[in-house]
Amino acid sequence: MISNRVILGIDPGTIVMGYGILAVEENKPRIETMGVLSLNKFDDHYARLRRIYERMLTLIDEYHPDELSIEAPFFGKNVQSMLKLGRAQGVAIAAALNRNLPIFEYAPLKIKMAITGNGQAAKEQVAGMLQHILHIPDENMLPQLDATDGLAAAYCHYLQINRPKAGKNYAGWKDFISKHPDKIRK
């Protein structure tokens, strides 16, 4: 179980990067902030990457997260889009590494499954569930769903690290019996 920590969640993108910061106190998560970094005003792809890096450092320095949870790139048909998305994710990770943050990646399907129970859920469903779970007032919800996607990455990480640890693993019955001879009745 986790007690007190701050988790920075990122939904990487080269046009819009979503972020959400989740504070966990006494094992209860609450939203600190969420938002988007709009990058469409930059024509140069490298200027966008520099802005992602700078914004990441600002978020880290302002909120002092203990960990970064980031959505892993999914495999798409457009190779150029995938390359650009991978670069955006890499720059966000580099900023976290610069500040010595542990990094955790989650597939989009895993994040959606953790929040809604459905790996194919729409962004609107994810946003609605987060609003309900974290008691976010309507006026604090942003129209850009990239923000709630960033928050979803943070909440997914909270759920993963808060799971009870699995018991011992055994290679089979022989292994179990050899480690627990007291369980055998003769």
Side-chain angles (χ1 to χ4, degrees), residues 10-19 37-40 45 48-49 51-52 70-71 81 84-92 146:
I10 296 293
D11 176 30
T14 55
I15 303 298
V16 178
M17 179 188 86
Y19 63 88
L37 173 60
S38 296
L39 300 157
N40 55 357
H45 180 67
R48 290 177 181 180
L49 295 176
R51 184 66 188 117
I52 291 169
I70 189 164
E71 186 175 298
S81 294
K84 288 178 180 178
L85 183 60
R87 287 177 175 172
Q89 184 200 33
V91 167
D146 301 276

Side-chain angles (χ1 to χ4, degrees), residues 10-152:
I10 296 293
D11 176 30
T14 55
I15 303 298
V16 178
M17 179 188 86
Y19 63 88
I21 298 179
L22 195 66
V24 180
E25 295 171 353
E26 302 300 321
N27 206 32
K28 291 181 177 71
R30 76 174 160 71
I31 181 174
E32 275 291 310
T33 192
M34 68 176 161
V36 294
L37 173 60
S38 296
L39 300 157
N40 55 357
K41 61 184 167 237
F42 299 100
D43 291 331
D44 180 38
H45 180 67
Y46 298 107
R48 290 177 181 180
L49 295 176
R50 181 179 57 241
R51 184 66 188 117
I52 291 169
Y53 186 80
E54 292 167 351
R55 182 63 178 137
M56 284 292 299
L57 291 178
T58 301
L59 287 168
I60 293 167
D61 292 343
E62 183 176 347
Y63 291 96
H64 307 287
D66 298 293
E67 296 150 335
L68 170 68
S69 176
I70 189 164
E71 186 175 298
F74 57 91
F75 297 99
K77 293 180 183 177
N78 186 328
V79 176
Q80 287 300 316
S81 294
M82 291 303 305
L83 177 62
K84 288 178 180 178
L85 183 60
R87 287 177 175 172
Q89 184 200 33
V91 167
I93 289 172
L97 290 171
N98 183 280
R99 295 296 195 260
N100 298 311
L101 281 183
I103 299 156
F104 300 88
E105 289 184 70
Y106 296 100
L109 185 126
K110 182 165 184 101
I111 293 171
K112 291 175 181 181
M113 181 67 86
I115 307 302
T116 67
N118 175 7
Q120 302 302 317
K123 287 177 172 273
E124 293 82 3
Q125 289 174 296
V126 172
M129 283 301 293
L130 284 172
Q131 184 176 14
H132 175 74
I133 293 167
L134 297 172
H135 310 289
I136 304 170
D138 286 340
E139 60 270 12
N140 291 3
M141 291 299 289
L142 299 175
Q144 303 94 337
L145 295 174
D146 301 276
T148 47
D149 283 352
L151 186 61

